[in-house]
Amino acid sequence: MSGANEEPDIPDLPAADPLPRSRWRMQLVWLVPIVAILIGGWLAVKAVMERGENITISFKTGEGLEAGKTRLKFKDVDIGVVETVMLAPDHKHVLAKAEVARDVAGLLVDNTRFWVVRPRISGGTVSGLGTLLSGSYVDVDVGNAAKARRDFVGLEEPPVFASDVPGREFILKSAGLGSLDVGSPVYFRRLQVGQIASYQLDPDGKGVTLKVFVNAPYDRFVKTDTRFWHASGFNMAFDSNGVRIETQSIVSVIVGGIAFESPPDSVEEADAAANTQFELYPTRTDAMKQHDRIIDKYVVNFADSVRGLVVGAPVDFRGIEIGRVTAIHTRFDAQRHSFSIPVEIEIYPERFTSRYQDGRTGGRISDDPRGIANYLVDNGFRFQLRNGNLLTGQLYLALDYFPDAARAKINWDKSPPELPAVPRTLQSLQDSVTRLLVKLNSIPFEGLGNDARTTLRTANALLSQLDTEVVPRAHDTLTSAQTMLDSANTALQPDSALQQSTADAMQELTRTAASLRTLADYLSRHPEALVRGKSGDKP
């Protein structure tokens, strides 16, 4: 029992030294929020680092734009999203703020372009039909400038070509737009090689400036002397082969187009630089006309009517067009109190030279143009108005040789110099008729009529006298003459007494002539018979 109450033997343990509790000791319960904070911070830093560039794009309207939904695409790849759409402070346009991915921020340069892609019909082409199901989006065309930019003005119309498309852009000047539009085709030998990129009205309102883009490699066919013309519709021409109808394509007939080509006799081989300016002609015929570099301006003064002569009418030299009419005016001469019509013209001296003569390709025919002009005028060359079209009455100016023209000189003191002219043929005929009528009016027809009436009365009296006196006497004379003729006829009959007497007389004359010949013959042999008589006779 006693053993039960005894304590067991416990070995001696070392005494524990108490340590002071650290005030920074972390408990496990705080590990979770710390990890959450670290993850959140990392996510925040990553979000900041991955956050894209913010840009602002200005559009005229907010059509097709929706905050948080409208995407920005480049080559059909999403590169950003429109975050907000709001009105500008001036309430005249819309500002779309978008976020663009950081890895494409380098594409945001000065000439980068933005536009809203939606269904469109322009220039005979249809685009953006895919947005009918997927919705509109903002397309991007990256520029090639070095300067970065974050504020842009969006295009209202999509560009015709992307910036990275090979080719060159050219500028065309035209008097009117016609049926052309952005996207209208550009043709070279009936092959579509480009399109119209844009157009705008000139600041002075006198023309239109167009920009056309010609794709490579066809842009190398645009030379410095290439001609552009409207290829809209079709051209109809009449020539020795009949009627010809020319058109570039059915598309150009409907929506219009532009064509270009170099002249057949062109010697220019240099390619035209980008943004070279050309003139856009209305037709191919106008485009292919000879374009002269030397132009001389003159004035031709006419005294007769110029009705039917218009600005642009040709100046012709024996069938060759050597110039054109540029202006028509009226002038009053206060000293002579008369009106005249001065017509301003342009003369192209290069058309008087031939490329087949000494290899010439142009220029003047002489280094002394005034001397040549004076020589022509001194030798009877004059300008004259002539009918160019009998149906329309249009006139043209002709330079020709008139040997009977009055002497004239060129007035070189005037600017431009004045060249002499002669009236047109019809006017000359009218002047001749007028002069003839003046002479006829100067004839005293009334006095001549009175004299003629007096003469007629005298003639009537003479005829009466002839009828009463001369005619009866003439009748008696004719009767006597008839009687004499009858007697002579009777006497000349073969069996008449006169004929018998005449025959006897002729026989006697014959015998007498024979006796005379005998006597003459005897006397020629015996001339002494004239004194002595015949030898057989006695004295």
Side-chain angles (χ1 to χ4, degrees), residues 371-447:
I372 292 294
N374 289 329
Y375 173 80
L376 294 176
V377 171
D378 291 342
N379 286 271
F381 280 86
R382 301 288 186 272
F383 285 92
Q384 185 185 50
L385 289 172
R386 292 181 181 176
N387 288 319
N389 192 314
L390 296 178
L391 296 178
T392 62
Q394 292 181 346
L395 302 178
Y396 69 93
L397 244 63
L399 175 63
D400 210 336
Y401 174 63
F402 298 90
D404 298 329
R407 300 285 296 177
K409 295 290 183 181
I410 301 177
N411 190 350
W412 295 104
D413 296 332
K414 293 186 177 181
S415 181
E418 187 170 312
L419 300 176
V422 295
R424 52 181 168 164
T425 306
L426 181 59
Q427 184 66 33
S428 302
L429 179 60
Q430 291 177 348
D431 294 340
S432 300
V433 172
T434 302
R435 289 192 296 268
L436 178 60
L437 291 176
V438 171
K439 292 181 179 180
L440 291 177
N441 289 332
S442 63
I443 298 175
F445 287 103
E446 184 176 358

Side-chain angles (χ1 to χ4, degrees), residues 463-537:
L463 290 175
S464 299
Q465 183 178 2
L466 289 175
D467 187 45
T468 57
E469 297 180 4
V470 178
V471 172
R473 294 180 181 177
H475 182 268
D476 296 340
T477 303
L478 291 174
T479 302
S480 301
Q482 184 65 37
T483 303
M484 293 178 60
L485 289 174
D486 292 340
S487 301
N489 188 31
T490 302
L492 293 175
Q493 292 297 324
D495 55 350
S496 64
L498 180 60
Q499 288 289 340
Q500 294 293 331
S501 300
T502 302
D504 295 341
M506 292 301 294
Q507 292 177 358
E508 290 296 333
L509 288 174
T510 301
R511 287 193 293 268
T512 302
S515 299
L516 288 175
R517 284 196 298 271
T518 303
L519 177 60
D521 182 58
Y522 178 79
L523 289 176
S524 62
R525 294 193 306 267
H526 305 283
E528 69 279 2
L530 291 174
V531 179
R532 297 178 180 178
K534 286 185 178 182
S535 58
D537 295 339

Side-chain angles (χ1 to χ4, degrees), residues 166-183:
R168 282 179 290 172
E169 196 173 41
F170 303 99
I171 300 174
L172 304 182
K173 289 287 187 178
S174 175
L177 186 63
S179 59
L180 301 176
D181 197 358
V182 174

